[in-house]
Short mmCIF file of all heavy atoms in Angstrom, two decimals:
data_model
loop_
_atom_site.label_atom_id
_atom_site.label_comp_id
_atom_site.label_asym_id
_atom_site.label_seq_id
_atom_site.Cartn_x
_atom_site.Cartn_y
_atom_site.Cartn_z
N MET A 257 -12.35 -28.44 -110.76
CA MET A 257 -11.63 -29.32 -109.84
C MET A 257 -10.32 -28.68 -109.44
O MET A 257 -9.61 -28.11 -110.26
CB MET A 257 -11.37 -30.66 -110.53
CG MET A 257 -10.96 -31.74 -109.57
SD MET A 257 -10.72 -33.30 -110.46
CE MET A 257 -9.12 -33.74 -109.86
N SER A 258 -10.00 -28.75 -108.16
CA SER A 258 -8.75 -28.13 -107.71
C SER A 258 -7.65 -29.16 -107.66
O SER A 258 -7.88 -30.35 -107.50
CB SER A 258 -8.94 -27.51 -106.33
OG SER A 258 -9.15 -28.52 -105.39
N GLY A 259 -6.44 -28.69 -107.84
CA GLY A 259 -5.30 -29.60 -107.82
C GLY A 259 -4.01 -28.84 -107.68
O GLY A 259 -3.97 -27.62 -107.77
N LEU A 260 -2.98 -29.58 -107.47
CA LEU A 260 -1.65 -29.00 -107.34
C LEU A 260 -0.86 -29.30 -108.61
O LEU A 260 -0.97 -30.38 -109.18
CB LEU A 260 -0.89 -29.62 -106.16
CG LEU A 260 -1.47 -29.48 -104.77
CD1 LEU A 260 -0.49 -30.09 -103.76
CD2 LEU A 260 -1.74 -28.04 -104.43
N ARG A 261 -0.09 -28.32 -109.04
CA ARG A 261 0.86 -28.56 -110.12
C ARG A 261 2.25 -28.23 -109.59
O ARG A 261 2.50 -27.11 -109.15
CB ARG A 261 0.53 -27.71 -111.35
CG ARG A 261 1.57 -27.85 -112.46
CD ARG A 261 1.07 -27.27 -113.77
NE ARG A 261 0.02 -28.07 -114.36
CZ ARG A 261 0.22 -29.15 -115.12
NH1 ARG A 261 1.45 -29.57 -115.36
NH2 ARG A 261 -0.78 -29.81 -115.62
N ILE A 262 3.10 -29.22 -109.61
CA ILE A 262 4.44 -29.08 -109.04
C ILE A 262 5.45 -28.87 -110.16
O ILE A 262 5.34 -29.47 -111.23
CB ILE A 262 4.85 -30.37 -108.28
CG1 ILE A 262 3.74 -30.84 -107.34
CG2 ILE A 262 6.16 -30.17 -107.52
CD1 ILE A 262 3.39 -29.89 -106.27
N ALA A 263 6.44 -28.04 -109.87
CA ALA A 263 7.57 -27.89 -110.80
C ALA A 263 8.86 -28.03 -110.01
O ALA A 263 8.94 -27.61 -108.85
CB ALA A 263 7.51 -26.53 -111.49
N ALA A 264 9.84 -28.64 -110.62
CA ALA A 264 11.13 -28.84 -109.97
C ALA A 264 12.23 -28.32 -110.90
O ALA A 264 12.31 -28.71 -112.05
CB ALA A 264 11.36 -30.32 -109.67
N ASP A 265 13.04 -27.43 -110.38
CA ASP A 265 14.15 -26.85 -111.14
C ASP A 265 15.43 -27.61 -110.79
O ASP A 265 16.04 -27.38 -109.75
CB ASP A 265 14.27 -25.37 -110.78
CG ASP A 265 15.36 -24.68 -111.59
OD1 ASP A 265 16.18 -25.39 -112.23
OD2 ASP A 265 15.39 -23.45 -111.58
N ARG A 266 15.81 -28.52 -111.66
CA ARG A 266 16.98 -29.36 -111.35
C ARG A 266 18.27 -28.56 -111.31
O ARG A 266 19.25 -29.00 -110.69
CB ARG A 266 17.08 -30.49 -112.39
CG ARG A 266 16.04 -31.59 -112.11
CD ARG A 266 16.01 -32.64 -113.19
NE ARG A 266 17.32 -33.20 -113.52
CZ ARG A 266 17.95 -34.12 -112.81
NH1 ARG A 266 17.39 -34.62 -111.72
NH2 ARG A 266 19.11 -34.58 -113.19
N ASP A 267 18.30 -27.39 -111.94
CA ASP A 267 19.51 -26.56 -111.88
C ASP A 267 19.69 -25.96 -110.49
O ASP A 267 20.81 -25.66 -110.08
CB ASP A 267 19.45 -25.45 -112.93
CG ASP A 267 19.58 -26.01 -114.34
OD1 ASP A 267 20.19 -27.09 -114.49
OD2 ASP A 267 19.07 -25.37 -115.27
N ARG A 268 18.61 -25.76 -109.77
CA ARG A 268 18.69 -25.19 -108.42
C ARG A 268 18.87 -26.26 -107.35
O ARG A 268 19.33 -25.97 -106.24
CB ARG A 268 17.43 -24.39 -108.09
CG ARG A 268 17.34 -23.10 -108.85
CD ARG A 268 16.17 -22.29 -108.38
NE ARG A 268 16.43 -21.67 -107.09
CZ ARG A 268 15.77 -20.61 -106.65
NH1 ARG A 268 14.83 -20.07 -107.39
NH2 ARG A 268 16.03 -20.10 -105.47
N CYS A 269 18.44 -27.46 -107.65
CA CYS A 269 18.45 -28.56 -106.68
C CYS A 269 19.87 -28.83 -106.19
O CYS A 269 20.81 -28.88 -106.98
CB CYS A 269 17.87 -29.81 -107.34
SG CYS A 269 17.95 -31.28 -106.31
N ILE A 270 20.01 -28.99 -104.88
CA ILE A 270 21.33 -29.29 -104.31
C ILE A 270 21.38 -30.72 -103.77
O ILE A 270 22.25 -31.07 -102.99
CB ILE A 270 21.71 -28.29 -103.20
CG1 ILE A 270 20.66 -28.29 -102.08
CG2 ILE A 270 21.89 -26.89 -103.78
CD1 ILE A 270 21.08 -27.54 -100.83
N ALA A 271 20.42 -31.53 -104.18
CA ALA A 271 20.42 -32.97 -103.86
C ALA A 271 20.34 -33.26 -102.37
O ALA A 271 20.92 -34.22 -101.89
CB ALA A 271 21.64 -33.66 -104.49
N ALA A 272 19.61 -32.42 -101.66
CA ALA A 272 19.47 -32.62 -100.21
C ALA A 272 18.55 -33.79 -99.89
O ALA A 272 18.65 -34.38 -98.82
CB ALA A 272 18.94 -31.35 -99.55
N GLY A 273 17.63 -34.11 -100.78
CA GLY A 273 16.82 -35.31 -100.62
C GLY A 273 15.60 -35.17 -99.73
O GLY A 273 14.89 -36.15 -99.51
N MET A 274 15.32 -33.98 -99.22
CA MET A 274 14.17 -33.81 -98.33
C MET A 274 12.86 -34.13 -99.04
O MET A 274 11.95 -34.72 -98.46
CB MET A 274 14.12 -32.38 -97.78
CG MET A 274 15.25 -32.03 -96.84
SD MET A 274 15.41 -33.20 -95.50
CE MET A 274 13.86 -32.95 -94.64
N CYS A 275 12.77 -33.76 -100.27
CA CYS A 275 11.50 -33.96 -101.00
C CYS A 275 11.17 -35.44 -101.14
O CYS A 275 10.05 -35.85 -100.88
CB CYS A 275 11.57 -33.29 -102.36
SG CYS A 275 12.97 -33.78 -103.36
N ALA A 276 12.16 -36.23 -101.51
CA ALA A 276 11.93 -37.67 -101.69
C ALA A 276 11.62 -38.33 -100.35
O ALA A 276 10.85 -39.29 -100.27
CB ALA A 276 13.16 -38.31 -102.33
N LEU A 277 12.22 -37.80 -99.29
CA LEU A 277 11.97 -38.34 -97.95
C LEU A 277 10.53 -38.05 -97.50
O LEU A 277 9.86 -38.91 -96.95
CB LEU A 277 12.96 -37.68 -96.98
CG LEU A 277 13.21 -38.34 -95.65
CD1 LEU A 277 13.89 -39.68 -95.84
CD2 LEU A 277 14.07 -37.44 -94.76
N LEU A 278 10.06 -36.85 -97.79
CA LEU A 278 8.74 -36.43 -97.31
C LEU A 278 7.60 -36.88 -98.21
O LEU A 278 6.50 -37.13 -97.72
CB LEU A 278 8.71 -34.90 -97.17
CG LEU A 278 9.57 -34.34 -96.03
CD1 LEU A 278 9.77 -32.85 -96.18
CD2 LEU A 278 8.95 -34.65 -94.68
N ALA A 279 7.84 -36.95 -99.50
CA ALA A 279 6.77 -37.32 -100.44
C ALA A 279 7.36 -38.19 -101.55
O ALA A 279 7.53 -37.76 -102.69
CB ALA A 279 6.12 -36.05 -101.01
N GLY A 280 7.65 -39.42 -101.20
CA GLY A 280 8.34 -40.34 -102.11
C GLY A 280 7.52 -40.77 -103.32
O GLY A 280 8.07 -41.27 -104.29
N ALA A 281 6.20 -40.55 -103.26
CA ALA A 281 5.39 -40.89 -104.43
C ALA A 281 5.48 -39.82 -105.51
O ALA A 281 5.14 -40.07 -106.67
CB ALA A 281 3.93 -41.08 -104.01
N VAL A 282 5.93 -38.65 -105.13
CA VAL A 282 5.96 -37.52 -106.06
C VAL A 282 7.39 -37.17 -106.48
O VAL A 282 7.63 -36.78 -107.61
CB VAL A 282 5.27 -36.29 -105.42
CG1 VAL A 282 5.38 -35.06 -106.30
CG2 VAL A 282 3.81 -36.62 -105.13
N PHE A 283 8.34 -37.32 -105.53
CA PHE A 283 9.72 -36.95 -105.81
C PHE A 283 10.65 -38.14 -105.61
O PHE A 283 10.48 -38.93 -104.68
CB PHE A 283 10.19 -35.83 -104.85
CG PHE A 283 9.30 -34.63 -104.84
CD1 PHE A 283 8.43 -34.41 -103.80
CD2 PHE A 283 9.34 -33.71 -105.88
CE1 PHE A 283 7.60 -33.30 -103.77
CE2 PHE A 283 8.51 -32.59 -105.87
CZ PHE A 283 7.64 -32.39 -104.82
N ASP A 284 11.62 -38.22 -106.48
CA ASP A 284 12.69 -39.20 -106.30
C ASP A 284 14.01 -38.48 -106.56
O ASP A 284 14.02 -37.30 -106.94
CB ASP A 284 12.51 -40.36 -107.29
CG ASP A 284 13.29 -41.60 -106.90
OD1 ASP A 284 14.01 -41.57 -105.87
OD2 ASP A 284 13.20 -42.60 -107.63
N GLN A 285 15.12 -39.18 -106.33
CA GLN A 285 16.42 -38.59 -106.61
C GLN A 285 17.12 -39.38 -107.69
O GLN A 285 17.08 -40.62 -107.70
CB GLN A 285 17.27 -38.59 -105.34
CG GLN A 285 16.83 -37.56 -104.32
CD GLN A 285 17.73 -37.59 -103.11
OE1 GLN A 285 17.51 -38.39 -102.21
NE2 GLN A 285 18.74 -36.76 -103.11
N ASP A 286 17.79 -38.68 -108.58
CA ASP A 286 18.56 -39.29 -109.64
C ASP A 286 19.66 -40.16 -109.05
O ASP A 286 20.36 -39.76 -108.12
CB ASP A 286 19.17 -38.18 -110.50
CG ASP A 286 19.72 -38.69 -111.80
OD1 ASP A 286 20.63 -39.54 -111.75
OD2 ASP A 286 19.25 -38.24 -112.85
N ASP A 287 19.80 -41.37 -109.58
CA ASP A 287 20.80 -42.29 -109.05
C ASP A 287 22.23 -41.78 -109.24
O ASP A 287 23.12 -42.12 -108.48
CB ASP A 287 20.69 -43.65 -109.75
CG ASP A 287 19.53 -44.45 -109.21
OD1 ASP A 287 19.06 -44.13 -108.10
OD2 ASP A 287 19.08 -45.38 -109.89
N THR A 288 22.44 -40.97 -110.24
CA THR A 288 23.81 -40.54 -110.52
C THR A 288 24.19 -39.25 -109.79
O THR A 288 25.23 -39.19 -109.14
CB THR A 288 24.04 -40.36 -112.03
OG1 THR A 288 23.02 -39.50 -112.54
CG2 THR A 288 23.98 -41.68 -112.75
N ASP A 289 23.36 -38.23 -109.85
CA ASP A 289 23.77 -36.96 -109.22
C ASP A 289 22.93 -36.60 -107.99
O ASP A 289 23.21 -35.60 -107.33
CB ASP A 289 23.77 -35.82 -110.24
CG ASP A 289 22.39 -35.55 -110.84
OD1 ASP A 289 21.39 -36.06 -110.30
OD2 ASP A 289 22.34 -34.83 -111.85
N GLY A 290 21.92 -37.40 -107.67
CA GLY A 290 21.14 -37.16 -106.46
C GLY A 290 20.11 -36.05 -106.59
O GLY A 290 19.39 -35.77 -105.65
N ARG A 291 20.07 -35.42 -107.76
CA ARG A 291 19.13 -34.31 -107.89
C ARG A 291 17.71 -34.82 -108.12
O ARG A 291 17.50 -35.95 -108.53
CB ARG A 291 19.57 -33.37 -109.01
CG ARG A 291 20.79 -32.57 -108.59
CD ARG A 291 21.11 -31.47 -109.55
NE ARG A 291 21.63 -32.00 -110.81
CZ ARG A 291 21.96 -31.24 -111.84
NH1 ARG A 291 21.84 -29.93 -111.76
NH2 ARG A 291 22.42 -31.78 -112.94
N VAL A 292 16.78 -33.95 -107.89
CA VAL A 292 15.37 -34.33 -107.85
C VAL A 292 14.87 -34.84 -109.21
O VAL A 292 15.25 -34.33 -110.27
CB VAL A 292 14.52 -33.13 -107.37
CG1 VAL A 292 14.56 -31.98 -108.36
CG2 VAL A 292 13.08 -33.56 -107.09
N LEU A 293 14.03 -35.84 -109.13
CA LEU A 293 13.25 -36.32 -110.28
C LEU A 293 11.79 -36.17 -109.90
O LEU A 293 11.37 -36.64 -108.84
CB LEU A 293 13.56 -37.79 -110.56
CG LEU A 293 14.97 -38.15 -110.99
CD1 LEU A 293 15.13 -39.67 -111.06
CD2 LEU A 293 15.30 -37.53 -112.34
N LEU A 294 11.07 -35.50 -110.74
CA LEU A 294 9.64 -35.29 -110.48
C LEU A 294 8.86 -36.46 -111.06
O LEU A 294 8.77 -36.62 -112.28
CB LEU A 294 9.21 -33.96 -111.11
CG LEU A 294 7.83 -33.44 -110.77
CD1 LEU A 294 7.63 -33.33 -109.27
CD2 LEU A 294 7.60 -32.11 -111.46
N LEU A 295 8.32 -37.29 -110.18
CA LEU A 295 7.60 -38.48 -110.63
C LEU A 295 6.17 -38.16 -111.01
O LEU A 295 5.60 -38.80 -111.89
CB LEU A 295 7.60 -39.53 -109.50
CG LEU A 295 8.95 -40.01 -108.99
CD1 LEU A 295 8.75 -40.99 -107.84
CD2 LEU A 295 9.75 -40.64 -110.11
N ASP A 296 5.57 -37.21 -110.29
CA ASP A 296 4.16 -36.92 -110.50
C ASP A 296 3.92 -35.41 -110.35
O ASP A 296 3.76 -34.92 -109.24
CB ASP A 296 3.33 -37.70 -109.47
CG ASP A 296 1.84 -37.52 -109.68
OD1 ASP A 296 1.45 -36.83 -110.64
OD2 ASP A 296 1.07 -38.06 -108.87
N PRO A 297 3.90 -34.67 -111.46
CA PRO A 297 3.74 -33.22 -111.37
C PRO A 297 2.35 -32.76 -110.95
O PRO A 297 2.17 -31.62 -110.55
CB PRO A 297 4.07 -32.73 -112.80
CG PRO A 297 3.96 -33.92 -113.67
CD PRO A 297 4.14 -35.14 -112.84
N THR A 298 1.37 -33.66 -111.03
CA THR A 298 0.00 -33.28 -110.63
C THR A 298 -0.55 -34.31 -109.64
O THR A 298 -1.46 -35.07 -109.98
CB THR A 298 -0.92 -33.15 -111.86
OG1 THR A 298 -0.87 -34.39 -112.59
CG2 THR A 298 -0.49 -32.03 -112.78
N PRO A 299 -0.01 -34.35 -108.44
CA PRO A 299 -0.44 -35.37 -107.48
C PRO A 299 -1.90 -35.17 -107.07
O PRO A 299 -2.32 -34.07 -106.73
CB PRO A 299 0.50 -35.16 -106.29
CG PRO A 299 0.98 -33.75 -106.42
CD PRO A 299 1.01 -33.45 -107.89
N GLY A 300 -2.65 -36.25 -107.14
CA GLY A 300 -4.06 -36.17 -106.81
C GLY A 300 -4.33 -36.28 -105.32
O GLY A 300 -5.35 -35.83 -104.83
N THR A 301 -3.39 -36.88 -104.61
CA THR A 301 -3.55 -37.05 -103.17
C THR A 301 -2.26 -36.66 -102.47
O THR A 301 -1.29 -36.26 -103.11
CB THR A 301 -3.87 -38.52 -102.82
OG1 THR A 301 -2.81 -39.34 -103.31
CG2 THR A 301 -5.18 -38.98 -103.43
N ASN A 302 -2.26 -36.77 -101.15
CA ASN A 302 -1.05 -36.53 -100.37
C ASN A 302 -0.58 -35.08 -100.47
O ASN A 302 0.62 -34.79 -100.42
CB ASN A 302 0.08 -37.47 -100.85
CG ASN A 302 0.86 -38.00 -99.68
OD1 ASN A 302 0.55 -37.71 -98.54
ND2 ASN A 302 1.90 -38.78 -99.97
N HIS A 303 -1.51 -34.15 -100.60
CA HIS A 303 -1.13 -32.76 -100.79
C HIS A 303 -0.38 -32.17 -99.61
O HIS A 303 0.49 -31.33 -99.79
CB HIS A 303 -2.38 -31.91 -101.07
CG HIS A 303 -2.99 -32.19 -102.41
ND1 HIS A 303 -4.09 -31.53 -102.88
CD2 HIS A 303 -2.63 -33.06 -103.38
CE1 HIS A 303 -4.40 -31.98 -104.09
NE2 HIS A 303 -3.54 -32.91 -104.42
N THR A 304 -0.72 -32.62 -98.41
CA THR A 304 -0.04 -32.08 -97.23
C THR A 304 1.44 -32.41 -97.27
O THR A 304 2.29 -31.53 -97.04
CB THR A 304 -0.68 -32.66 -95.95
OG1 THR A 304 -2.06 -32.35 -95.96
CG2 THR A 304 -0.03 -32.06 -94.71
N ALA A 305 1.77 -33.65 -97.60
CA ALA A 305 3.17 -34.05 -97.67
C ALA A 305 3.89 -33.33 -98.80
O ALA A 305 5.05 -32.92 -98.66
CB ALA A 305 3.28 -35.56 -97.86
N VAL A 306 3.21 -33.13 -99.91
CA VAL A 306 3.82 -32.44 -101.05
C VAL A 306 4.11 -30.99 -100.69
O VAL A 306 5.20 -30.47 -100.94
CB VAL A 306 2.91 -32.53 -102.29
CG1 VAL A 306 3.44 -31.64 -103.40
CG2 VAL A 306 2.80 -33.97 -102.76
N ARG A 307 3.15 -30.33 -100.06
CA ARG A 307 3.37 -28.93 -99.65
C ARG A 307 4.51 -28.83 -98.65
O ARG A 307 5.33 -27.92 -98.69
CB ARG A 307 2.10 -28.35 -99.02
CG ARG A 307 1.06 -27.97 -100.01
CD ARG A 307 0.05 -27.02 -99.39
NE ARG A 307 -1.09 -26.85 -100.27
CZ ARG A 307 -2.16 -27.63 -100.27
NH1 ARG A 307 -2.25 -28.63 -99.42
NH2 ARG A 307 -3.15 -27.42 -101.11
N GLU A 308 4.58 -29.77 -97.75
CA GLU A 308 5.66 -29.78 -96.75
C GLU A 308 7.01 -29.94 -97.45
O GLU A 308 7.98 -29.28 -97.10
CB GLU A 308 5.43 -30.91 -95.76
CG GLU A 308 6.28 -30.78 -94.51
CD GLU A 308 6.02 -31.91 -93.52
OE1 GLU A 308 5.05 -32.68 -93.74
OE2 GLU A 308 6.79 -32.03 -92.56
N ALA A 309 7.06 -30.83 -98.45
CA ALA A 309 8.30 -31.04 -99.19
C ALA A 309 8.72 -29.77 -99.91
O ALA A 309 9.91 -29.39 -99.89
CB ALA A 309 8.12 -32.19 -100.19
N VAL A 310 7.77 -29.08 -100.52
CA VAL A 310 8.09 -27.84 -101.23
C VAL A 310 8.60 -26.79 -100.25
O VAL A 310 9.59 -26.11 -100.52
CB VAL A 310 6.83 -27.32 -101.98
CG1 VAL A 310 7.08 -25.94 -102.55
CG2 VAL A 310 6.44 -28.30 -103.09
N GLU A 311 7.97 -26.68 -99.09
CA GLU A 311 8.39 -25.68 -98.10
C GLU A 311 9.73 -26.05 -97.47
O GLU A 311 10.49 -25.17 -97.05
CB GLU A 311 7.32 -25.56 -97.01
CG GLU A 311 6.09 -24.81 -97.48
CD GLU A 311 4.92 -24.96 -96.53
OE1 GLU A 311 5.13 -25.40 -95.38
OE2 GLU A 311 3.79 -24.64 -96.95
N THR A 312 10.02 -27.32 -97.38
CA THR A 312 11.24 -27.78 -96.70
C THR A 312 12.47 -27.75 -97.60
O THR A 312 13.59 -27.66 -97.12
CB THR A 312 11.03 -29.21 -96.16
OG1 THR A 312 9.85 -29.22 -95.37
CG2 THR A 312 12.20 -29.66 -95.31
N CYS A 313 12.26 -27.80 -98.90
CA CYS A 313 13.39 -27.84 -99.83
C CYS A 313 14.34 -26.67 -99.53
O CYS A 313 13.95 -25.51 -99.58
CB CYS A 313 12.88 -27.74 -101.26
SG CYS A 313 14.21 -27.56 -102.46
N PRO A 314 15.61 -26.95 -99.23
CA PRO A 314 16.53 -25.90 -98.81
C PRO A 314 17.01 -25.00 -99.94
O PRO A 314 17.53 -23.92 -99.69
CB PRO A 314 17.70 -26.68 -98.20
CG PRO A 314 17.65 -28.01 -98.84
CD PRO A 314 16.20 -28.29 -99.13
N SER A 315 16.82 -25.42 -101.17
CA SER A 315 17.35 -24.62 -102.28
C SER A 315 16.28 -23.84 -103.03
O SER A 315 16.59 -23.08 -103.93
CB SER A 315 18.07 -25.55 -103.27
OG SER A 315 17.12 -26.37 -103.93
N GLY A 316 15.03 -24.03 -102.66
CA GLY A 316 13.95 -23.35 -103.38
C GLY A 316 13.74 -23.87 -104.77
O GLY A 316 13.24 -23.17 -105.65
N ALA A 317 14.11 -25.12 -105.00
CA ALA A 317 14.01 -25.69 -106.34
C ALA A 317 12.59 -26.12 -106.69
O ALA A 317 12.29 -26.32 -107.86
CB ALA A 317 14.93 -26.90 -106.45
N LEU A 318 11.75 -26.24 -105.68
CA LEU A 318 10.39 -26.74 -105.91
C LEU A 318 9.38 -25.61 -105.82
O LEU A 318 9.45 -24.77 -104.93
CB LEU A 318 10.05 -27.82 -104.87
CG LEU A 318 11.02 -28.99 -104.80
CD1 LEU A 318 10.59 -29.93 -103.68
CD2 LEU A 318 11.10 -29.72 -106.12
N THR A 319 8.43 -25.62 -106.73
CA THR A 319 7.35 -24.66 -106.66
C THR A 319 6.03 -25.39 -106.83
O THR A 319 5.97 -26.45 -107.46
CB THR A 319 7.47 -23.58 -107.75
OG1 THR A 319 7.67 -24.21 -109.01
CG2 THR A 319 8.62 -22.63 -107.47
N VAL A 320 5.01 -24.81 -106.26
CA VAL A 320 3.68 -25.42 -106.35
C VAL A 320 2.69 -24.38 -106.83
O VAL A 320 2.69 -23.23 -106.37
CB VAL A 320 3.26 -26.05 -105.01
CG1 VAL A 320 3.25 -25.02 -103.89
CG2 VAL A 320 1.93 -26.74 -105.13
N ASP A 321 1.90 -24.76 -107.80
CA ASP A 321 0.87 -23.90 -108.36
C ASP A 321 -0.46 -24.55 -108.02
O ASP A 321 -0.68 -25.72 -108.33
CB ASP A 321 1.09 -23.80 -109.87
CG ASP A 321 0.13 -22.82 -110.51
OD1 ASP A 321 -0.30 -21.89 -109.81
OD2 ASP A 321 -0.19 -23.01 -111.68
N GLU A 322 -1.32 -23.78 -107.38
CA GLU A 322 -2.60 -24.34 -106.96
C GLU A 322 -3.70 -23.74 -107.82
O GLU A 322 -3.82 -22.53 -107.91
CB GLU A 322 -2.84 -24.02 -105.50
CG GLU A 322 -3.70 -25.03 -104.82
CD GLU A 322 -3.42 -25.09 -103.33
OE1 GLU A 322 -2.37 -24.61 -102.89
OE2 GLU A 322 -4.25 -25.65 -102.63
N SER A 323 -4.48 -24.59 -108.47
CA SER A 323 -5.54 -24.01 -109.31
C SER A 323 -6.82 -24.79 -109.13
O SER A 323 -6.83 -25.83 -108.50
CB SER A 323 -5.10 -24.05 -110.77
OG SER A 323 -4.77 -25.37 -111.14
S1 LIG B 547 14.56 -31.10 -101.33
FE1 LIG B 547 15.09 -29.57 -102.89
S2 LIG B 547 17.30 -29.59 -102.95
FE2 LIG B 547 16.66 -31.47 -101.94
S3 LIG B 547 16.53 -33.02 -103.56
FE3 LIG B 547 14.53 -32.10 -103.32
S4 LIG B 547 14.46 -30.43 -104.83
FE4 LIG B 547 16.58 -30.99 -104.51
#
């Protein structure tokens, strides 16, 4: 079975919020510092939005592993 595995590096995150905007089921932002919170590291659906969020992230904090 194929799937996506997402990783988020909170040290690189600059709290731009694009990920949460594009794929709110997978990414959220911390209420205190605005940095990314990974809600679902292995999203079963919505892959297009997740890939777009990873590509759009301005700091390169998000990575996606496809297996
Ligand atoms: S888009 Fe990137 S920089 Fe912005 S909150 Fe998400 S992980 Fe952080």
Side-chain angles (χ1 to χ4, degrees):
M257 195 178 129
S258 68
L260 300 184
R261 175 166 290 276
I262 312 298
D265 183 346
R266 284 174 51 79
D267 290 334
R268 288 186 75 158
C269 175
I270 58 169
M274 292 307 295
C275 54
L277 198 66
L278 290 165
V282 175
F283 306 103
D284 198 359
Q285 286 181 275
D286 193 300
D287 282 341
T288 53
D289 62 13
R291 288 190 289 179
V292 66
L293 295 173
L294 190 55
L295 301 177
D296 183 3
T298 55
T301 58
N302 220 2
H303 290 182
T304 303
V306 171
R307 283 198 191 88
E308 195 180 350
V310 171
E311 286 167 15
T312 307
C313 172
S315 69
L318 304 177
T319 50
V320 58
D321 185 28
E322 208 153 343
S323 56

